[in-house]
Amino acid sequence: MYYLSVFIHITSAIFWIGGMLFTAGVLVPATRHELLKNKKGEFFTLVGRKFSRISWILFLVLIVTGITNLLTRGYTVQQLLTGSFWIEVFGGYLFIKLLAFGLVLVVSGIHDFYAGPKAAELMDTQPGHPHTKQIRKISSWLGRLNLLLGLLILYYAMRLLRG
């Protein structure tokens, strides 16, 4: 059970972080192509909705498998509820990882349900308007922040296992 849960957890994290890297490295630069000149907002709406749905499913999978990983690794709920667990090295790394994941949920919520859709809508309806540029910039920075938080989570996941 432990190995299956870890496998699903890692695969979900790869899919989520890989999707963000693909978006930043391939999709966003592709929108500068003449083919999408007047359809950037429509393109981002289509891609954003699909990736957002998958991401939120992955977040749920990561929560369930994360809990399963801890419990099947031998930690008990009682241990997790004691302060001494969180001041040990493992607990400290887990705390940072969980804090970063909590921030990801907040940032993703703002990006996926407000800034991203608003930016995509304004790109096609008011492409040159200052408000459009402002919302696009906010959406872009939220995406970058999420990628950095995802990489931070990955780093602390590695530290949990490797010390």
Side-chain angles (χ1 to χ4, degrees):
M1 180 68 163
Y2 173 71
Y3 293 114
L4 177 61
S5 180
V6 169
F7 177 79
I8 293 168
H9 195 79
I10 291 171
T11 303
S12 298
I14 289 169
F15 196 91
W16 173 60
I17 292 172
M20 288 190 293
L21 289 168
F22 182 78
T23 299
V26 177
L27 291 182
V28 171
T31 64
R32 296 184 186 104
H33 192 276
E34 189 67 28
L35 180 68
L36 293 172
K37 185 177 182 177
N38 296 320
K39 300 278 187 186
K40 287 181 185 179
E42 204 174 317
F43 177 76
F44 278 119
T45 298
L46 175 68
V47 172
R49 279 187 187 151
K50 291 191 181 293
F51 188 64
S52 176
R53 284 184 193 135
I54 289 169
S55 294
W56 286 96
I57 291 168
L58 291 172
F59 294 157
L60 289 174
V61 170
L62 289 165
I63 290 167
V64 170
T65 56
I67 293 167
T68 303
N69 292 348
L70 283 171
L71 297 177
T72 56
R73 191 172 174 177
Y75 293 99
T76 65
V77 174
Q78 281 181 321
Q79 283 177 296
L80 299 174
L81 295 176
T82 63
S84 61
F85 173 82
W86 299 100
I87 59 172
E88 294 173 9
V89 173
F90 184 88
Y93 289 155
L94 181 60
F95 178 78
I96 294 169
K97 184 181 173 201
L98 293 175
L99 180 63
F101 185 72
L103 290 172
V104 161
L105 295 177
V106 171
V107 171
S108 291
I110 295 167
H111 179 272
D112 294 358
F113 302 115
Y114 174 71
K118 188 69 173 171
E121 173 194 328
L122 293 173
M123 274 189 253
D124 288 343
T125 60
Q126 301 175 25
H129 196 277
H131 183 62
T132 303
K133 291 178 183 177
Q134 180 185 29
I135 294 292
R136 283 184 67 191
K137 189 176 233 178
I138 290 169
S139 179
S140 175
W141 279 105
L142 289 170
R144 290 176 183 139
L145 177 58
N146 247 1
L147 176 56
L148 290 174
L149 288 168
L151 294 173
L152 180 71
I153 291 167
L154 181 60
Y155 174 79
Y156 278 97
M158 179 196 67
R159 294 299 304 263
L160 282 172
L161 297 176
R162 299 291 178 207

